[in-house]
Amino acid sequence: MNYRISVLPGDGIGPEIIVEAKKVLEKVGEKFGHNFDFSEGLIGGCAIDKEGTPLPESTIELVGESDAVLLGAVGGPKWDTTDADKVRPEQGLLGLRKAMKTFANVRPVKAYKELKNASTLKNEVIEGVDLVIVRELTGGIYFGEQKRGSEEASDTCEYKSSEISRVVKFAAKIAGKRQKKVTSVDKANVLETSRLWRQKAEEILKSTNVEFSHMLVDNCAMQLIRDPKQFDVIVTENMFGDILSDEAAMLTGSIGMLSSGSFGEGKTALFEPIHGSAPDIAGQKVANPLGTISSCVLMLRHSFDLENEAQAIENAINKVLEKGYRTLDIMENDKKQAKTDEMGDLVAQEI
Ligand code: NAD
């Protein structure tokens, strides 16, 4: 079977990790008899440099013709600016998610047995952690009106009940296939958008067969560190989800391990690691490509319905970790350090 994949490497470590993910997908194609047809597009800072915009029309067209999108990361100090009138790389990513009509960003957080010492938390806290964060992607403070004066600035947080309902339904569906437990996270003691969130979430979740509860975001931030095993599926709004998922990454030892998939109304979904462009390590061949490779697992499983192929990558990652190979971010004394490309080679070899 032929699958068309748009590949948007972006900036910083983006191109380095994307190469490794393609390598692994090609190996899967070889082994299972599929053809993954990759076409590259520009997004982020590199697109600003070449086309003057972080999301060129050609990229939107390319994405529209594909079966799935694989993205690296965008941004970096070269394009950082406090000038409200300048274009920024992140606008490319937000614009892409909007153009693709994705509304639910799914971020699985599973602690690898082999990496239990890579986390800064105690083994007994992280052992067996297996949760999913579902982050709303189209609303909230990232998309509301922004104003900037010389001495004041404002960002507006807005939510429509339809935006809340569809993402909560989506989260309940995921929970239905897992431990059937949803925690809806908000700040309903302070924010009006959160009170609407809580009311709608309650209406939706009551009509499902999943167990549910509400939690304030500040408590959730604490509970994720105190007792992460209490969670199955967390559903929350855009900014809370952004922050909580980075925090949850530390349960796995490194942000470089975590994958994500953004799903929506369109048939095409977007897959990307949760980390950014890591300019501090770009070009040094030390970036961990496993989050991006794991994003391909989500792509195979959810966009192409290729469960055996998805499992082949998961097993390969586990075997490589069992054999003691680690990138710098998850390195321990008695392990063997692998550079970014070596890690990709090792996973591909195990398939
Ligand atoms: P970051 O996620 O890029 O990096 C945070 C820390 O984690 C850094 O120390 C980095 O070296 C490390 N890290 C990240 N990915 C890693 C990997 N795969 N392997 C090993 N270590 C890894 O976040 P930041 O430093 O706050 O942001 C850097 C740039 O990325 C900024 O321009 C920001 O706007 C952008 N950003 C982009 C995205 C995205 O494209 N989805 C997400 C977050 C931040």
Side-chain angles (χ1 to χ4, degrees):
M1 183 104 181
N2 195 46
Y3 299 96
R4 290 163 306 170
I5 303 175
S6 294
V7 178
L8 312 177
D11 310 313
I13 61 169
E16 299 168 46
I17 51 176
I18 283 286
V19 169
E20 304 315 313
K22 279 169 70 181
K23 192 185 277 176
V24 171
L25 278 177
E26 264 158 8
K27 191 71 194 197
V28 168
E30 227 174 82
K31 173 154 184 191
F32 291 88
H34 307 297
N35 181 39
F36 297 112
D37 189 0
F38 300 111
S39 308
E40 284 208 3
L42 291 171
I43 192 163
C46 59
I48 295 175
D49 288 351
K50 287 207 177 113
E51 311 259 339
T53 164
L55 185 62
E57 206 46 52
S58 55
T59 299
I60 296 179
E61 273 168 30
L62 179 73
V63 163
E65 291 159 1
S66 23
D67 300 314
V69 181
L70 181 63
L71 185 134
V74 299
K78 182 177 175 192
W79 305 279
D80 277 350
T81 173
T82 50
D83 183 343
D85 297 326
K86 286 244 170 79
V87 282
R88 281 169 291 108
E90 291 72 18
Q91 290 167 332
L93 185 53
L94 295 181
L96 179 69
R97 288 173 179 159
K98 197 125 205 166
M100 290 179 69
K101 297 196 169 76
T102 56
F103 62 79
N105 182 238
V106 177
R107 300 181 163 197
V109 181
K110 204 168 177 173
Y112 286 87
K113 211 168 75 215
E114 292 295 327
L115 295 186
K116 61 180 189 209
N117 294 326
S119 173
T120 46
L121 298 177
K122 287 184 192 146
N123 285 348
E124 62 262 34
V125 175
I126 54 167
E127 251 168 346
V129 164
D130 180 3
L131 61 94
V132 174
I133 297 182
V134 179
R135 167 188 169 196
E136 202 289 326
L137 271 191
T138 62
I141 202 160
Y142 292 0
F143 287 103
E145 191 189 355
Q146 299 185 317
K147 283 194 196 146
R148 173 80 180 270
S150 59
E151 295 301 324
E152 57 185 27
S154 64
D155 300 278
T156 315
C157 184
E158 287 173 324
Y159 263 107
K160 293 193 187 79
S161 61
S162 57
E163 290 170 327
I164 301 168
S165 304
R166 67 183 178 183
V167 75
V168 173
K169 265 185 208 157
F170 189 91
K173 215 165 137 190
I174 293 182
K177 294 182 193 153
R178 295 172 45 93
Q179 295 166 46
K180 298 189 168 43
K181 201 171 136 191
V182 171
T183 310
S184 173
V185 173
D186 59 41
K187 187 71 184 163
N189 53 342
V190 178
L191 300 175
E192 208 48 62
T193 42
S194 275
R195 283 190 276 273
L196 180 67
W197 181 283
R198 189 170 284 217
Q199 185 194 329
K200 289 294 150 192
E202 177 101 16
E203 280 169 27
I204 297 293
L205 292 166
K206 264 188 178 159
S207 67
T208 67
N209 63 349
V210 303
E211 184 192 324
F212 71 93
S213 58
H214 303 284
M215 192 178 275
L216 295 175
V217 63
D218 34 359
N219 184 27
C220 184
M222 180 185 72
Q223 296 296 340
L224 269 173
I225 298 299
R226 193 188 74 82
D227 176 22
K229 276 179 267 193
Q230 69 184 284
F231 296 110
D232 177 24
V233 174
I234 292 173
V235 62
T236 190
E237 63 100 77
N238 206 342
M239 183 165 73
F240 297 162
D242 195 3
I243 297 169
L244 291 178
S245 55
D246 267 33
E247 184 193 4
M250 288 324 293
L251 304 170
T252 68
S254 169
I255 195 167
M257 296 297 297
L258 286 207
S259 58
S260 84
S262 299
F263 303 88
E265 289 156 13
K267 69 169 181 55
T268 310
L270 168 65
F271 300 90
E272 55 181 318
I274 78 152
H275 59 74
S277 59
D280 53 336
I281 56 166
Q284 297 173 25
K285 291 193 172 179
V286 295
N288 185 343
L290 293 178
T292 317
I293 294 172
S294 297
S295 302
C296 298
V297 171
L298 296 178
M299 179 193 292
L300 295 175
R301 180 169 287 144
H302 299 293
S303 279
F304 304 157
D305 216 8
L306 299 175
E307 182 55 32
N308 291 340
E309 289 81 341
Q311 273 178 23
I313 302 184
E314 281 178 333
N315 294 341
I317 293 175
N318 276 319
K319 278 198 198 130
V320 170
L321 294 175
E322 271 165 33
K323 286 184 178 174
Y325 293 102
R326 304 283 189 271
T327 42
L328 183 61
D329 54 319
I330 48 175
M331 186 61 190
E332 293 165 54
N333 281 342
D334 57 337
K335 305 296 180 202
K336 295 170 264 196
Q337 197 171 327
K339 291 193 180 304
T340 308
D341 55 333
E342 290 166 346
M343 192 49 114
D345 288 340
L346 287 161
V347 175
Q349 277 159 24
E350 289 294 345
I351 288 171

